[in-house]
Amino acid sequence: MTVLYEKATFAGGCFWCMVKPFDEQPGIVSVVSGYTGGHVENPTYEEVCSDTTGHYEAVQITYDPEVFPYEKLLELFWQQIDPTDPGGQFADRGSSYRTAIFVHSEEQRVLAERSKEELAASGRFAKPIVTPILPAAPFYPAEDYHQGYYKTNPVRYKAYFAGSGREKFLRETWKDREKDAELRRRLTPLQYEVTQNNATEPPFRNEYWDHKEEGIYVDIVTGEPLFSSLDKFDSHCGWPSFTKPIEPTVVSEHIDLSHNMIRMEIRNKDGSSHLGHLFDDGPKPTGMRYCINSAALRFIPKHKMAEEGYGELLSLFDR
């Protein structure tokens, strides 16, 4: 059976930040950074940034509509931008950084208009939605060094994504409000600040830094089992430290460039909660030190594991 791919074109400010969200989805064949909407053929990056060509920085997506339909692309697009800003996006100002949806068919236009109306009616934004819906124009791929920038220059990409203000804006704008309210009710202020706002608790003045009882440490938010007392060690840093998680997949790693440092942040597996940081100064055989905030953890003693639903992990202590 022949697969009929389609194209979607979105301008969302700096195109570096618009590739990764789409690139990670099923049914996406390619995401190309480029320039569109202007009057100059084959423009360069410098020309576009001069705001003299009329072009937008944009991404053109080739996708399988049977796997990832246009409606889902639109939903994902809105979640990457500030659609109320007519003058650029976040730290990037000027016409080349404006947002727009470039439609390739009448069907896309109808769906885009409906999506924009639904977003405006949702009440998520206090100001009007100003992102225009425009006919698709010639698209010129950007220079090679701009393509897949989040993969070829991950440190610079992460620094830009955070430093531009985009990361914080999107996190605050698109968080689940009901879930956030529930977490605020259920967690202590310190637990909330650590897990949801990347705070760090004081060393040597937290619950588990010197804790030695047998058992497991679970995610304070989800209850997912994270670490075992068998892998806990005294790193003299003032926070609970582990050589490894119970399973590698229960945590995710993210580059952290805050406080003028390059560190590896540890979050829970779906990335919704901050846990701590990973360092390579731990004991053998792993050489790793998972330095975790006590406020991100809840301890389940070995004798209560079965009672609390973690009985299948008691075999850890038979080794």
Side-chain angles (χ1 to χ4, degrees), residues 98-285:
R98 291 171 297 166
T99 64
I101 299 172
F102 292 90
V103 295
H104 293 260
S105 66
E106 178 62 14
E107 181 186 13
Q108 285 192 355
R109 186 192 67 77
V110 170
L111 292 173
E113 293 284 3
R114 181 188 305 160
S115 177
K116 181 177 177 179
E117 291 169 1
E118 290 173 351
L119 182 65
S122 71
R124 189 171 292 273
F125 295 96
K127 295 185 290 185
I129 307 301
V130 299
T131 299
I133 297 168
L134 305 171
F139 180 87
Y140 304 98
E143 295 81 348
D144 287 347
Y145 69 90
H146 289 301
Q147 305 301 334
Y149 196 83
Y150 79 95
K151 291 187 285 190
T152 59
N153 292 273
V155 174
R156 288 192 64 190
Y157 166 77
K158 176 67 176 178
Y160 175 80
F161 186 67
S164 67
R166 187 185 293 254
E167 182 177 47
K168 182 179 179 181
F169 176 88
L170 298 182
R171 183 174 63 245
E172 290 298 314
T173 301
W174 290 99
K175 66 185 176 184
D176 185 323
R177 294 174 182 175
E178 289 186 5
K179 178 183 176 183
D180 186 67
E182 187 272 332
L183 287 177
R184 287 183 181 274
R185 290 192 297 269
R186 180 159 60 89
L187 303 179
T188 68
L190 178 60
Q191 289 169 341
Y192 181 88
E193 287 302 311
V194 166
T195 60
Q196 305 306 303
N197 291 328
N198 295 10
T200 299
E201 66 194 3
F204 302 103
R205 289 186 289 120
N206 55 80
E207 191 171 4
Y208 301 127
W209 77 271
D210 196 29
H211 188 243
K212 297 180 173 62
E213 188 177 356
E214 277 195 323
I216 59 172
Y217 298 82
V218 305
D219 188 321
I220 191 68
V221 173
T222 67
E224 183 78 19
L226 299 176
F227 299 97
S228 163
S229 60
L230 298 170
D231 303 309
K232 191 172 186 292
F233 70 100
D234 185 2
S235 64
H236 307 290
C237 69
W239 291 280
S241 297
F242 306 87
T243 57
K244 61 183 177 68
I246 291 175
E247 293 290 342
T249 57
V250 300
V251 297
S252 57
E253 300 178 7
H254 307 262
I255 296 173
D256 179 5
L257 301 173
S258 62
H259 307 295
N260 297 314
M261 295 185 285
I262 301 177
R263 297 180 293 173
M264 188 61 70
E265 181 196 8
I266 298 299
R267 302 184 73 85
N268 60 5
K269 66 179 179 180
D270 65 4
S272 63
S273 292
H274 171 74
L275 302 175
H277 290 88
L278 175 62
F279 302 94
D280 60 2
D281 57 5
K284 295 179 179 180

